[in-house]
Amino acid sequence: MQYIDLHVHSNCSDGTCTPEELIDLALDANLVAIALTDHDTVDGVERAVHAAEDTRLKVIPGVELSCEYTVSPDRKKEIHILGYNLDYRQPELIKTLTKIAIERDNRNKKMCENLHAAGFPIDYESLVERFGGNILTRAHFARFLLEKEAVPSIDYAFKKILAQDGPYFVMRKYLTPQSGIELIQSAGGIPVLAHPLLYKLSVTELRNLLTELKGYGLKGIEAIYSRNRGNDEAFVRKIADEFGLFITGGTDFHGSNKPDIELGRGEGNLFVPVMLMENLKKEPSL
């Protein structure tokens, strides 16, 4: 059996491996394909595609878009839409992702100010100096604070310091799910809901979400995932059938930012069969 990984991050967003290093890791893991799905950027895709030339590895151009979903009038959730096999050079895609990067950058500056005022050894200039011109996320904040010995672990930083309901967090503007799916489609891509169980929605709320997203053009749902437990995969497969969605799978590899997650294997026992790549083939133009 041949295996793939359809959810991978590089240091162009909040992973720690370069796109080129990901190709080497994927070859070492005997994978036949990976999808580079960095958060709100496609900056690393061309590098990954180039690095995989003349190898047995296929690189699927992708992205993971952060969107804000309204669960109820007084409750919102950040959800992630994966886009596969998209044209990563498409002007409208690049224009929108650039706007998102600027918005995220402004949010990051405000969060740095909040943390610095509270006594944490962090400022925006030092954060940029440490991580360069990447898409800076809370994972970068967490690693920076860990390196400064201001927190005992990355997990602690996320749960106690950088939590969305915490005193230092700054909300940014997000795409709506509809605009995220339409952006992926405009670039010729295939939209898939990432890690549906991480959103902690009730079964009814998840069904409502899928009903809405499918109305916008959602095609698939990520069923094979590193953080699944017990019957999670079986449940997602069942609800995928209910809504007529195909399934995908991936590790959500971030390098040392998620040190327990191995490329292609997750926590050690994850296998995404190559046959799932069939779901990501574009329909022929009429």
Side-chain angles (χ1 to χ4, degrees):
M1 178 71 76
Q2 294 179 316
Y3 298 104
I4 60 179
D5 193 337
L6 298 178
H7 194 159
V8 177
H9 296 276
S10 78
N11 67 352
C12 291
S13 65
D14 58 346
T16 58
C17 297
T18 67
E20 294 81 7
E21 289 169 340
L22 288 176
I23 301 308
D24 291 337
L25 287 174
L27 290 169
D28 289 344
N30 293 315
L31 299 177
V32 295
I34 64 168
L36 182 56
T37 54
D38 276 320
H39 291 284
D40 300 320
T41 182
V42 290
D43 285 354
V45 172
E46 188 163 11
R47 290 170 56 189
V49 170
H50 178 72
E53 290 176 354
D54 301 322
T55 75
R56 67 177 186 277
L57 185 73
K58 177 177 176 58
V59 174
I60 299 169
V63 72
E64 184 173 10
L65 298 179
S66 301
C67 303
E68 186 176 76
Y69 170 65
T70 300
V71 183
S72 64
D74 59 349
R75 183 165 162 242
K76 299 180 186 295
K77 280 278 186 179
E78 180 181 336
I79 66 169
H80 292 173
I81 308 293
L82 295 158
Y84 292 110
N85 265 331
L86 43 69
D87 177 2
Y88 55 92
R89 299 187 183 96
Q90 201 249 14
E92 185 60 31
L93 176 69
I94 299 302
K95 179 181 176 182
T96 302
L97 294 181
T98 300
K99 288 181 179 178
I100 291 172
I102 293 171
E103 170 65 28
R104 188 193 293 268
D105 208 37
N106 291 333
R107 187 281 302 266
N108 288 340
K109 290 176 181 177
K110 293 176 183 176
M111 279 189 63
C112 281
E113 291 172 3
N114 290 348
L115 289 164
H116 187 76
F120 288 95
I122 188 171
D123 60 81
Y124 180 75
E125 290 73 20
S126 297
L127 193 68
V128 171
E129 182 180 356
R130 169 63 180 84
F131 295 108
N134 300 325
I135 296 291
L136 296 175
T137 69
R138 284 185 293 163
H140 295 101
F141 279 76
R143 177 158 292 280
F144 188 92
L145 292 172
L146 179 65
E147 291 174 356
K148 295 295 184 180
E149 300 182 345
V151 295
S153 69
I154 287 177
D155 187 60
Y156 178 92
F158 268 97
K159 291 180 177 179
K160 301 296 184 180
I161 309 300
L162 304 172
Q164 291 190 20
D165 58 354
Y168 315 116
F169 184 79
V170 175
M171 185 64 70
R172 66 180 177 90
K173 293 179 182 178
Y174 288 88
L175 294 172
T176 65
Q178 180 176 3
S179 60
I181 288 173
E182 289 176 350
L183 180 65
I184 290 166
Q185 292 172 323
S186 73
I190 300 168
V192 171
L193 180 65
H195 41 61
L197 301 186
L198 289 192
Y199 310 127
K200 305 300 181 183
L201 299 171
S202 69
V203 175
T204 298
E205 290 169 341
L206 180 57
R207 285 195 170 98
N208 290 341
L209 170 64
L210 293 176
T211 298
E212 182 174 334
L213 297 188
K214 186 164 184 187
Y216 302 142
L218 187 76
K219 299 297 184 185
I221 189 169
E222 191 172 45
I224 305 173
Y225 185 68
S226 293
R227 302 301 190 195
N228 282 349
R229 297 292 183 269
N231 295 321
D232 286 351
E233 182 182 326
F235 169 75
V236 178
R237 284 178 176 270
K238 181 178 179 181
I239 207 165
D241 286 341
E242 178 183 334
F243 282 86
L245 300 169
F246 64 71
I247 67 163
T248 65
T251 60
D252 205 359
F253 179 76
H254 281 71
S256 57
N257 279 339
K258 291 185 178 180
D260 58 326
I261 301 298
E262 180 183 349
L263 185 68
R265 294 293 305 276
E267 295 176 356
N269 58 356
L270 182 144
F271 299 95
V272 182
V274 68
M275 65 187 68
L276 294 190
M277 281 180 62
E278 292 294 314
N279 296 327
L280 304 182
K281 287 185 176 179
K282 296 182 181 181
E283 296 179 1
S285 300
L286 297 178

